[in-house]
Amino acid sequence: MPEPTPPLPAGYEISTDPDRLDRARVHHWLSTDAYWAIGRSGEKQDLAIAGSLNFGVYEQASGAQRAYARVVTDRATFAWLCDVYVDRPARGKSLGTALVAAIRDELTAYGLRRVLLATADAHGVYAKAGFRPLDAPERWMALNLQ
C-alpha cells in the first residue's frame, strides 16, 4: 500500500505544461548527470519530451525548474515512468518523493493496469509511492537496440 501523498514543500509547484519546461536545463541535467542518459543529445531529448507526459517542479517565487520526470503512456493500459531528476541543490527537500506521488495520483485517473520504472539507486523513493519489485520478473523481456 502506498504511503499518503506527501505535500509538496512550501514554495514549489508541479506542472504538466510542456511549454513551461526549461528544456535546456532538463537536457543538461540528464545528459551530464543522470547515469541512464549521459550523452543524450538535445534532439533526442526533445523527441522524448514530445512523446511523453511531462512533469516539472518549479519554485513559485522565481519560476525556476528544480525537478523533472516524464511518463511514456497510452493513457489507457500502461505507463513507463522515466527520467526522474531533482536538481542537486534542491535535493533533500522531498521534492522527488512528492513528484513521484503526484505522478502516481495523475496516472491513477487513467485506470492503467501497470506503471513500470527502472532504477539503480532510488528504490526507497519509489516504494513510498507504492512501487515494488516485479512479482514475476521471469515473465518480462527486453529488446535492447543500442
Side-chain angles (χ1 to χ4, degrees):
M1 182 60 92
E3 295 180 15
T5 301
L8 198 58
Y12 293 91
E13 62 186 348
I14 295 175
S15 173
T16 58
D17 180 357
D19 293 332
R20 193 168 175 194
L21 293 173
D22 184 337
R23 290 171 183 251
R25 178 174 282 191
V26 169
H27 175 252
H28 175 75
W29 286 338
L30 296 177
S31 68
T32 65
D33 194 40
Y35 66 85
W36 64 91
I38 296 293
R40 183 182 290 169
S41 73
E43 295 80 17
K44 184 74 74 173
Q45 185 61 44
D46 285 341
L47 287 170
I49 288 170
S52 301
L53 174 60
N54 298 276
F55 293 79
V57 177
Y58 304 90
E59 289 181 351
Q60 290 175 326
S62 68
Q65 187 169 352
R66 295 297 175 221
Y68 173 75
R70 68 185 182 91
V71 177
V72 181
T73 183
D74 60 9
R75 292 180 168 91
T77 62
F78 179 81
W80 176 264
L81 173 58
C82 53
D83 287 347
V84 179
Y85 187 91
V86 177
D87 192 14
R88 286 194 177 271
R91 292 180 186 177
K93 299 177 182 180
S94 298
L95 292 179
T97 300
L99 174 60
V100 171
I103 292 167
R104 176 204 60 211
D105 294 348
E106 175 91 11
L107 295 178
T108 297
Y110 296 139
L112 304 175
R113 178 178 176 148
R114 183 172 289 116
V115 179
L116 293 181
L117 64 85
T119 184
D121 58 1
H123 295 80
V125 170
Y126 299 110
K128 290 177 185 176
F131 285 88
R132 63 177 205 265
L134 293 171
D135 291 332
E138 68 278 2
R139 292 184 184 176
W140 295 87
M141 297 178 71
L143 174 62
N144 296 315
L145 299 175
Q146 291 188 27

